Amino acid sequence: MKNPSKNASRPQNRERELRTELARKIASFAGSAEKLITTNIPGLMLSRRTAPTAPTSVAFEPSLAVVAQGRTRIDLGRTAFIFDQSRFLLTSLDLPVISQVIEARKEAPYLGFLLKLEMPVVRELLSREEIQAPEAPSDSPAMATGETTAELLDACCRLVDLLDTPQHIPFLSGTR
């Protein structure tokens, strides 16, 4: 008989491995930079912080934010979104928010991945696929967190890997 707890730990181990890999890749690319770094991949930005930041007013564009290490707080009006290695943040509209890195240390810096989304492309992809999603309430804030899965972390790692082969980046946009 198979040990069910051993099988249950495999996905968690895979997520941990991928999170560590993503953190390593971001740290390698970011070096000692202490800011949001624009990459050669359109819409992809990486972030590294060695200390918590002060709350800052920013405009979040439609995007996917994944934390490889550390923790962030986003305030949208009276709603606070706290996300870390286990949760991602998805934004579907341009929104004015207060952003703050709340967990970062020199020994374990905050390492983040932000991918801006082109909403017309997202709508086109969604129209091609039959996706069963619950209806969002009418008072939904156009921002939500969700569970960071191994599949999402794997996709983030593969996208960051493209930074090592810049000749392949133009294939993302269909231009050469």
Side-chain angles (χ1 to χ4, degrees):
M1 178 179 221
K2 291 183 181 179
N3 182 345
S5 64
K6 188 175 181 181
N7 290 337
S9 69
R10 281 190 193 141
Q12 291 174 337
N13 288 342
R14 180 71 178 138
E15 286 174 19
R16 190 177 312 115
E17 290 168 7
L18 287 166
R19 192 172 298 110
T20 300
E21 181 180 343
L22 182 60
R24 181 186 54 75
K25 290 172 190 269
I26 293 171
S28 172
F29 186 78
S32 62
E34 284 285 318
K35 61 180 180 176
L36 195 61
I37 303 151
T38 302
T39 69
N40 290 332
I41 297 174
L44 177 62
M45 293 184 279
L46 305 174
S47 181
R48 179 182 183 275
R49 299 284 184 183
T50 58
T53 62
T56 305
S57 294
V58 296
F60 255 50
E61 297 177 53
S63 58
L64 170 68
V66 176
V67 175
Q69 189 170 279
R71 181 172 293 153
T72 301
R73 176 186 174 119
I74 302 294
D75 292 319
L76 175 63
R78 294 182 183 173
T79 304
F81 296 90
I82 296 177
F83 59 105
D84 58 15
Q85 298 94 320
S86 65
R87 310 284 300 167
F88 66 85
L89 180 76
L90 184 64
T91 307
S92 62
L93 297 173
D94 291 347
L95 297 170
V97 300
I98 305 294
S99 176
Q100 180 180 17
V101 172
I102 58 175
E103 185 179 305
R105 302 185 321 275
K106 190 171 188 173
E107 308 79 36
Y110 170 87
L111 299 167
F113 169 107
L114 180 77
L115 181 63
K116 291 183 183 178
L117 302 175
E118 294 183 31
M119 291 312 290
V121 174
V122 171
R123 283 187 206 97
E124 181 184 336
L125 288 172
L126 290 174
S127 72
R128 291 185 198 169
E129 298 294 325
E130 188 170 319
I131 298 173
Q132 300 297 324
E135 218 30 62
S138 60
D139 62 344
S140 178
M143 185 175 268
T145 62
E147 180 184 350
T148 302
T149 63
E151 293 81 8
L152 177 59
L153 290 166
D154 183 51
C156 294
C157 285
R158 288 183 285 126
L159 189 57
V160 174
D161 282 344
L162 279 175
L163 295 171
D164 294 329
T165 56
Q167 69 274 18
H168 295 147
I169 293 172
F171 292 102
L172 288 174
S173 63
T175 61
R176 301 212 264 161

